[in-house]
Amino acid sequence: MRTTVGIIGAGPAGLLLARLLHDAGIASVVLESRDRAYVEHRQRAGILEQGTVDVLRAAGAGERMDREGLPHDGIELRYDRKRHRVDFPALTGGRSVMVYAQTEVCKDLIALQLKDGGPLLFEAEALAVEDAGTDSPRIRFRHEGREDVLECEYVVGCDGFWGVARNAIPAELTKVFERSYPFAWLGILADVPPSHDELVYARHDRGFALLSMRSPSVSRLYLQVPEGTDAGSWGDEEIWDELERRFETDDDWTLERGPITQKSVTPMRSYVHEPMRYGRLFLAGDAAHIVPPTGAKGLNLAVGDVVTFARALAYEKETGSAERLDAYSETCLRRVWQAERFSYDMTALLHRAPGATPFEDRLQLARLDRLSSSRAAETDLAEGYTGFAL
């Protein structure tokens, strides 16, 4: 097999890249190790920045998102039994976010790809990226019980942290920056309408909590728990009781309970791999960087990566200049590190570290008071949360 761009991974990044390349008249092949049902049902991120929403609309993948997604113009911060709303459009010149699950983004992009895009091969396991430092990289993969080779002009690794693409970059050329956190998120899906019409981020002495949603009838909620927690060790009523404690306020707000349909534990980690390019191999999304979920940046960063690559390749095809391709890693990493900063700051602001001192507790409350009383502080949070222009 031969193509212009070989894409490893049919998550939202790989699928969107294939769509952007198709619209630019550039051929691609997408290889995905899992089957279609798995890709369309794996639960991941659910907050789309303004730039991500704009890109999906421009790519023709926004119709169902606009019909079924939930536009949000702000978030609520809770601390010390107080509530403070951050108004995104008022602080950012009209920018907002969209609640629309990654699973739904993948369904929309898969449908478009199968309808009029290039080849999308499910259950096609990438085994290695070969000759990445040359002008003729290759992806060795296994599909339908036999090994094959996809010859490419470029390879883009959208295959996540455990994928093979990053391993093709020589270790002596790489730098890794990472931080693990001593806590995790216990997440639940529950068949109950959300108890608030926007996301609620709560700082509490017992730990962080987040009220989110997947639809008008399905709630998504999280509790800060110790690292290594087993989701099955928490009973349903125990979870609801703890959520109620951490969301408590001085007014008459109440948390609605319902049947819990799913429990999971998400570890907290920050990770950046530099560079994001080696020869004709380009890394995108979790293959190159991971952020703690507090800032809702993971999916949106991946979108920024593939938009940067697609524009750079289109520019090279139009002008003959590889200038933008050569700058890919530097361009992406500027956005990545700003997202890492924002996600770290949000995590430190809202989570109580094990062994935190009374001094550290009061500093958190002072920072939250500052956000509640300073338009400048609010604006910085709102700009970071809604995302920077792609």
Side-chain angles (χ1 to χ4, degrees):
M1 297 180 64
R2 181 184 297 275
T3 191
T4 303
V5 181
I7 302 171
I8 308 175
L15 291 166
L16 177 59
L17 176 57
R19 185 65 186 175
L20 296 173
L21 295 175
H22 173 267
D23 290 346
I26 300 171
S28 70
V29 173
V30 182
L31 305 177
E32 168 55 47
S33 63
R34 303 283 192 163
D35 61 27
R36 179 177 179 179
Y38 180 89
V39 174
E40 292 187 338
H41 290 90
R42 55 186 167 191
Q43 293 291 331
R44 294 291 189 274
I47 306 295
L48 308 183
E49 295 176 354
Q50 182 71 63
T52 298
V53 170
D54 294 342
V55 166
L56 289 171
R57 287 172 178 157
E63 181 181 351
R64 194 164 69 93
M65 174 188 68
D66 285 330
R67 186 173 66 248
E68 299 179 11
L70 305 174
H72 279 201
D73 286 339
I75 59 172
E76 182 173 287
L77 300 175
R78 292 193 186 180
Y79 64 100
D80 205 19
R81 303 181 67 91
K82 295 182 288 191
R83 305 170 65 175
H84 176 75
R85 182 176 185 268
V86 180
D87 186 332
F88 292 155
L91 296 163
T92 63
R95 297 173 70 81
S96 60
V97 297
M98 179 81 75
V99 175
Y100 191 62
Q102 175 176 313
T103 51
E104 307 309 315
V105 174
C106 287
K107 289 175 186 176
D108 297 341
L109 290 169
I110 286 171
L112 285 173
Q113 186 72 5
L114 295 178
K115 178 183 177 183
D116 57 18
L120 166 55
L121 305 182
F122 291 104
E123 299 181 89
E125 179 187 6
L127 303 175
V129 177
E130 301 173 340
D131 300 326
T134 73
D135 290 340
S136 303
R138 302 149 39 100
I139 305 171
R140 187 159 47 84
F141 67 101
R142 182 183 295 111
H143 185 234
E144 296 180 341
R146 67 175 187 276
E147 285 195 18
D148 206 340
V149 171
L150 177 62
E151 298 180 352
C152 319
E153 294 180 34
Y154 307 91
V155 174
V156 181
C158 304
D159 51 345
F161 182 78
W162 300 107
V164 301
R166 189 175 62 251
N167 295 331
I169 300 180
E172 62 270 19
L173 301 180
T174 69
K175 293 181 179 179
V176 170
F177 306 85
E178 58 186 328
R179 177 189 177 95
S180 295
Y181 297 83
F183 41 75
W185 279 11
L186 170 64
I188 64 167
L189 279 175
D191 286 338
V192 60
S195 299
H196 195 61
D197 55 3
E198 292 178 333
L199 272 69
V200 178
Y201 287 78
R203 186 270 173 203
H204 193 277
D205 286 343
R206 297 177 64 91
F208 167 76
L210 172 62
L211 186 157
S212 183
M213 63 282 295
R214 281 294 178 261
S215 73
S217 61
V218 177
S219 293
R220 182 73 158 155
L221 301 107
Y222 298 93
L223 285 170
Q224 176 187 342
V225 294
E227 180 186 20
T229 293
D230 176 8
S233 67
W234 282 73
D236 291 6
E237 289 306 308
E238 183 183 9
I239 291 172
W240 287 118
D241 289 346
E242 189 62 26
L243 285 165
E244 200 167 76
R245 290 187 195 98
R246 298 189 192 183
F247 287 124
E248 62 188 359
T249 60
D250 282 333
D251 57 19
D252 59 357
W253 182 89
T254 58
L255 177 67
E256 299 297 328
R257 303 187 180 206
I260 294 176
T261 60
Q262 185 183 107
K263 300 177 190 177
S264 61
V265 171
T266 301
M268 306 283 281
R269 187 182 184 199
S270 299
Y271 174 90
V272 180
H273 178 284
E274 296 184 6
M276 291 176 57
R277 178 205 176 179
Y278 170 66
R280 295 291 187 99
L281 168 64
F282 299 77
L283 303 181
D286 286 1
H289 43 73
I290 295 171
V291 290
T294 324
K297 290 284 164 260
L299 167 60
N300 297 290
L301 270 183
V303 168
D305 294 342
V306 298
V307 168
T308 299
F309 175 81
R311 289 174 178 170
L313 185 56
Y315 182 80
E316 193 270 341
K317 296 298 181 184
E318 292 167 5
T319 67
S321 171
E323 177 185 2
R324 295 184 183 180
L325 285 171
D326 291 341
Y328 171 81
S329 184
E330 180 182 355
T331 301
C332 290
L333 284 169
R334 281 197 296 270
R335 184 185 298 111
V336 166
W337 277 111
Q338 286 302 316
E340 292 283 354
R341 173 197 62 81
F342 178 78
S343 300
Y344 174 83
D345 286 348
M346 286 283 284
T347 301
L349 174 68
L350 296 163
H351 293 74
R352 192 172 192 275
T357 66
F359 178 83
E360 291 167 323
D361 290 338
R362 290 301 294 269
L363 280 181
Q364 282 186 317
L365 296 175
R367 292 178 65 196
L368 286 160
D369 276 336
R370 174 68 175 168
L371 280 167
S372 300
S373 59
S374 166
R375 185 177 179 87
E378 269 194 305
T379 299
D380 185 60
L381 187 152
E383 287 179 345
Y385 199 97
T386 58
F388 304 101
L390 295 179

